[in-house]
């Protein structure tokens, strides 16, 4: 069943009367449970596409549907709710709060959800266990290695039990071994049924996905399912 449906997406940025076309009539569908990698050089439009699919930005024209509903039908409050509860994000820069523990970082999305506070600790502990960091639960996030920080970010993305995880260059700041560890976790989440959309410029990272989309100049060049 389709989770993401994009039709003729176009995104144009205007700066001092100069138009830059970031997406040029991009169409694609992503089914529940898929593991998709989107590749392309800098400026190819891959991050812009991810931001639109993750409801962080809106297209200039075209139609985008998430979970069977057009983005045009969502109010701002509903978009925020969907982003928080149905979508998980993992970014290259980790985006952890430095003066808080692993547990507190992972609980953060729950503060803005309808999930009762009595469930927060159990939910967070389950997510932390899923990424193999139970022994670090009460450590300060600033004392963790890069690989551990990214695993905390994945746990935080998981805590709301989202439909899909969008990962934007999740191994970009990591050494080879840490990157492999993070990708093994992401691969395992997909095996458990989680939809994964991964942005990367690294061929060896893209190989974890079952479908690889190559972009260039705001367009999809190839879309290959293994």
């Amino acid at each position: 069943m389709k989770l993401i449906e994009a039709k003729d997406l176009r995104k144009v940025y205007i700066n001092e009367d100069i138009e830059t076309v970031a997406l040029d009539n991009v169409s694609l569908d992503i089914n529940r449970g898929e593991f998709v990698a989107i590749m392309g050089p800098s400026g190819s439009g891959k991050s812009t596409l991810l931001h639109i699919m993750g409801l962080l930005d809106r297209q200039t024209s075209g139609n985008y549907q998430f979970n069977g509903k057009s983005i045009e039908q969502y109010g701002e409050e509903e978009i925020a709710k969907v982003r928080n509860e149905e979508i998980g994000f993992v970014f290259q820069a980790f985006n952890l709060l430095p003066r808080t523990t692993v547990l507190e970082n992972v609980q953060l999305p729950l503060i803005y959800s309808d999930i009762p506070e009595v469930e927060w600790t159990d939910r967070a502990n389950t997510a932390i266990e899923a990424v193999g960091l139970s022994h670090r639960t009460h450590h300060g996030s600033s004392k963790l290695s890069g690989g551990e920080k990214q695993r905390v970010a994945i746990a935080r993305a998981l805590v709301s039990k989202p439909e899909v995880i969008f990962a934007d260059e999740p191994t970009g700041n990591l050494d080879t071994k840490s990157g492999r560890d993070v990708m093994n976790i992401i691969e395992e989440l997909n095996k458990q049924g989680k939809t994964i959309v991964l942005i990367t410029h690294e061929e060896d990272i893209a190989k974890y996905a079952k479908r690889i989309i190559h972009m260039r100049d705001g367009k999809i060049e190839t879309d290959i399912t293994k």
Side-chain angles (χ1 to χ4, degrees):
M1 186 174 174
K2 293 176 184 176
L3 178 64
I4 286 167
E5 299 174 73
K7 179 71 172 173
D8 297 329
L9 291 187
R10 187 172 170 83
K11 182 66 178 181
V12 180
Y13 294 102
I14 301 174
N15 185 20
E16 295 181 355
D17 297 328
I18 298 172
E19 288 193 357
T20 302
V21 178
L23 290 181
D24 190 3
N25 294 320
V26 168
S27 297
L28 81 160
D29 296 335
I30 296 175
N31 292 326
R32 279 184 175 79
E34 277 202 89
F35 188 165
V36 182
I38 302 176
M39 302 191 70
S42 180
S44 61
K46 57 188 187 296
S47 289
T48 301
L49 178 59
L50 181 140
H51 287 167
I52 291 172
M53 290 192 295
L55 307 181
L56 295 169
D57 198 1
R58 290 194 182 227
Q59 70 273 20
T60 304
S61 61
N63 184 257
Y64 176 58
Q65 291 190 26
F66 180 82
N67 220 350
K69 188 171 177 180
S70 172
I71 191 173
E72 309 302 334
Q73 296 174 282
Y74 286 102
E76 289 304 318
E77 283 189 15
E78 191 176 4
I79 282 181
K81 183 177 172 66
V82 169
R83 251 197 329 250
N84 189 52
E85 296 181 7
E86 297 182 42
I87 298 172
F89 295 99
V90 180
F91 295 105
Q92 181 176 342
F94 316 136
N95 295 337
L96 303 183
L97 298 177
R99 295 184 182 85
T100 56
T101 65
V102 168
L103 181 68
E104 289 166 332
N105 264 289
V106 173
Q107 285 180 332
L108 193 62
L110 303 178
I111 295 171
Y112 306 100
S113 74
D114 295 331
I115 296 163
E117 190 171 350
V118 292
E119 295 181 24
W120 291 1
T121 300
D122 283 347
R123 281 221 183 198
N125 281 330
T126 299
I128 292 166
E129 185 178 350
V131 300
L133 279 182
S134 294
H135 61 297
R136 291 280 193 261
T137 301
H138 299 291
H139 277 60
S141 57
S142 60
K143 297 176 182 176
L144 303 176
S145 68
E148 288 173 330
K149 287 178 180 177
Q150 194 60 293
R151 284 197 270 165
V152 175
I154 294 170
R156 185 181 56 196
L158 284 174
V159 75
S160 296
K161 301 180 181 177
E163 290 268 6
V164 57
I165 291 177
F166 291 107
D168 193 351
E169 300 282 5
T171 61
N173 283 336
L174 305 178
D175 60 59
T176 302
K177 182 187 181 305
S178 297
R180 197 179 300 122
D181 290 345
V182 163
M183 288 311 302
N184 286 338
I185 290 169
I186 290 174
E187 184 178 46
E188 181 59 32
L189 292 172
N190 177 247
K191 287 177 180 176
Q192 293 170 10
K194 197 70 70 181
T195 307
I196 309 287
V197 180
L198 169 75
I199 300 287
T200 184
H201 64 275
E202 300 175 71
E203 292 281 354
D204 58 331
I205 297 300
K207 286 177 182 174
Y208 283 86
K210 295 167 185 168
R211 175 182 170 193
I212 300 177
I213 295 170
H214 280 269
M215 295 187 69
R216 186 177 295 274
D217 299 328
K219 296 182 179 182
I220 292 176
E221 276 192 327
T222 59
D223 184 345
I224 299 168
T225 301
K226 294 179 184 178

